[in-house]
Structures are given as structure tokens and as C-alpha cells.
Amino acid sequence: MEQKLSVIMAADVVGYSRLMEVDEKGTLAALMAHRQELLDVEVASHDGRIVKLIGDGMLVAFHAVEDAVRCAVAIQRGMRERNATAASDRQMEFRIGINIGDLLFEEGDVYGDGVNVAARIESLAKPGGVSVSSSVHDTLGGRLGMRFEDIGEQRLKNIARPVHVYNIVIDETVVPPSSQGVRENPPIKSNRTLLYVTRFVNLSGNPDQEYFAAGITQDVVAGLSRFSGLNVIVRLPRADPHQPALAAFYTLEGSVRRIGDRVRVNASLTDAEGEHIWAEKFDFGPIDMFDVQDELSRSIPAALNVKIEEAER
């Protein structure tokens, strides 16, 4: 079991079940777009690492409190801009909670009191808002010039001790220009190897299978994000991934073809010069589609981690 002290950000969608009931496919597509174009971008540009995706939510680990808070505010600002152009019944809002605590990694999953507190604090946040524990508030101090609303000690579900919670007043918070809006090429601060993942292409000829290809992409990205040496960003196919500050980057591309109960998935890894360094074909018989996604979320990240380490050496 691996244990790390981290700044933990928990986020999920407000009223996700209601949105899915109204339009399941449209809601999933919108969530994937928000993640790919905003959340993943902001997490990477603030030196964060997605450690777990949970349906409509995510857990992200940061090294510094300032990065976590800046990232959360930038995400909520970005969602306001995106919702401004969406129909009122299709707008999506996130709640975000931030805490400092231990992360325990075991068998591909993450645990710990710090995770539980972050999740409970997130549930107290206002729709479109950010709530933080007193450990985050006190560590940050006045360094970012943010104003906080003190909502006092809170009794959190399944947490024995009361936790003092603060809300960030986002309207009075200044986000640095480098973190405003949606950027196609964010500045990556980390020294970790950069891996771009393009959304797996649906080759089935059936638009209804788009959600399946999106689900595979999401699960593979979640598996890859567990490797601490990788900085994973989801991109549109063939987007220009030019990052002059980085020594090397890699790109994972894939396709999904589903005919009846059979599924074929192709995946390939290329380096910065476009040279193929790994490719694999996965064939599945008539089994549950979630089993397919679970298997790919294990096998592809494991293979890529080895190949990227070999290429770096």
C-alpha cells in the first residue's frame, strides 16, 4: 500500500441523475466534452493528477494548495462561460471540495480519510462553487488575495470529528490570465512525461455507439492517470500537441468497432516524431460491455507505462 500526503480535490455534477433521465446520451456527451476541453486541461496546467474517475465525479491530487485552489476556481469560471451558451435545461454545474490529507493507493484504487473529507466537503459546496477545509484555508493564508465565507464547523457523514469549512467567493477571486477560459494548448508546469490521448474513434457506423467509444476513452485515461510519471491530457484527434517547454511527449490513438456482440479495439502509441513505438489489437467475444471497458482500462495503461519507460531510457 502506497501512502502520500496530498491536496485532494473532489468534484461532481449537480443533479446528474436528473440530467441523465432527461437525455442520457446528450448528458454523457456533454460531460465528456466538459472534461476533455476544460477540466482535464485545467488539472494538467495546474500540475494536478486525476487519481480516480467516479461516474460524474473525479478525485484529483495536487502538490500545492495554491494550484488546487486556482484550478478549482478556473474550472468554475470556465463552466459559467460554457453554460452561458447552453439551453437552461442542459446546463451542467459542478460542486468542488478541497482538503489536505493522506491518499492510500492499493490495487488500483484510492482510499483514505483525506479523500472522505474532501468528498463530504464537496457535497456542502454550492452549485458552481468551491468549499475548502480549514487546513486548506489556513495553509493558503492571504497569498492569493481570495475572500472566503466562513460557514463554521460542520458535522460530516461518517466523519467522527467536526470539520471547519469555508466557501470561496468566486466573484471576487482574480484568476491569473494563464488560467482563464478554455485553452487549446495549456502551459504544462510539471516535469512529468506528457501523454496525449485522442478520443477513441467509433468505426461501427452507428452513432449510438459513440457513448461506448467515449466510455472506453474515459476508463483508459483514468487508468493512465494513476501513473505518477505521466501527465495525461485528452485531445481531439490530430490536434497539434506542440509544447516547446517539454522535452518529449507521446500520443495514444485508438478506434472501436462493434458488430453485434463482438468488439474490436485498436490502440497505438507514437512519440514526438510520429514514430510508432507500440500498437495492439484487442478482440472480445459476446461479453458484457463493462467487462470490455474494465479489461482495456487495465491492459492498455499497463502496456503503455512499460513502453514509455523503455522509450525514455
Side-chain angles (χ1 to χ4, degrees):
M1 183 179 293
E2 180 185 6
Q3 181 173 351
K4 292 181 179 179
L5 181 65
S6 305
V7 184
I8 307 160
M9 183 178 83
D12 76 356
V13 178
V14 179
Y16 185 69
S17 297
R18 176 187 58 80
L19 293 171
M20 289 290 282
E21 184 178 1
V22 173
D23 182 4
E24 186 176 47
K25 294 177 181 177
T27 297
L28 179 59
L31 177 59
M32 289 296 297
H34 292 322
R35 281 180 173 168
Q36 293 173 11
E37 299 167 12
L38 177 63
L39 275 73
D40 289 355
V41 171
E42 293 296 351
V43 167
S45 63
H46 290 89
D47 202 15
R49 182 165 70 95
I50 298 173
V51 295
K52 188 174 184 179
L53 294 175
I54 318 165
D56 60 312
M58 63 168 57
L59 287 175
V60 185
F62 296 86
H63 296 294
V65 169
E66 292 93 334
D67 288 334
V69 172
R70 288 179 188 271
C71 179
V73 171
I75 287 173
Q76 297 295 34
R77 285 274 180 85
M79 285 304 302
R80 290 185 182 183
E81 295 177 5
R82 298 171 73 87
N83 282 329
T85 59
S88 58
D89 61 342
R90 293 293 185 271
Q91 293 180 359
M92 191 172 290
E93 292 183 301
F94 287 85
R95 288 189 178 96
I96 297 179
I98 306 175
N99 182 44
I100 299 176
D102 284 331
L103 286 175
L104 301 175
F105 296 89
E106 184 179 24
E107 296 181 355
D109 209 342
V110 61
Y111 309 91
D113 182 67
V115 174
N116 298 334
V117 172
R120 300 307 182 197
I121 291 175
E122 173 261 304
S123 68
L124 296 176
K126 301 174 183 177
V130 181
S131 295
V132 304
S133 65
S134 58
S135 59
V136 172
H137 172 270
D138 296 344
T139 301
L140 185 64
R143 289 198 295 275
L144 295 183
M146 294 182 175
R147 190 167 78 81
F148 293 87
E149 176 191 8
D150 186 345
I151 61 173
E153 290 192 341
Q154 302 290 322
R155 288 286 180 180
L156 307 180
K157 183 178 179 181
N158 296 330
I159 305 296
R161 67 190 185 282
V163 177
H164 206 118
V165 179
Y166 297 81
N167 290 333
I168 296 177
V169 183
I170 294 179
D171 291 334
E172 299 180 13
T173 296
V174 178
V175 179
S178 62
S179 296
Q180 288 180 345
V182 179
R183 298 179 302 284
E184 183 178 0
N185 293 310
I188 307 300
K189 295 167 32 179
S190 174
N191 293 324
R192 297 193 300 252
T193 301
L194 181 65
L195 173 63
Y196 292 107
V197 179
T198 64
R199 178 167 173 171
F200 279 55
V201 180
N202 171 31
L203 300 181
S204 302
N206 182 356
D208 290 340
Q209 296 303 318
E210 288 292 340
Y211 77 95
F212 180 56
I216 290 177
T217 307
Q218 177 178 321
D219 287 349
V220 170
V221 168
L224 289 165
S225 298
R226 296 192 182 105
F227 295 108
S228 59
L230 294 178
N231 203 335
V232 183
I233 299 180
V234 179
R235 302 185 68 90
L236 298 176
R238 297 297 178 186
D240 177 18
H242 205 52
Q243 291 286 348
L246 294 167
F249 62 82
Y250 300 86
T251 302
L252 171 66
E253 297 178 295
S255 63
V256 181
R257 180 183 285 110
R258 181 179 178 183
I259 302 177
D261 289 332
R262 299 193 63 84
V263 176
R264 170 168 292 181
V265 176
N266 289 284
S268 64
L269 181 71
T270 56
D271 61 16
E273 284 72 40
E275 180 180 349
H276 281 78
I277 59 176
W278 175 83
E280 189 63 79
K281 178 178 68 176
F282 302 87
D283 286 314
F284 299 93
I287 58 177
D288 188 271
M289 291 302 103
F290 287 108
D291 292 337
V292 173
Q293 293 178 207
D294 289 344
E295 173 60 28
L296 292 172
S297 69
R298 290 190 296 266
S299 55
I300 291 180
L304 260 61
N305 190 48
V306 172
K307 288 298 180 181
I308 290 176
E309 285 186 356
E310 291 177 353
E312 292 292 278
R313 286 198 296 269

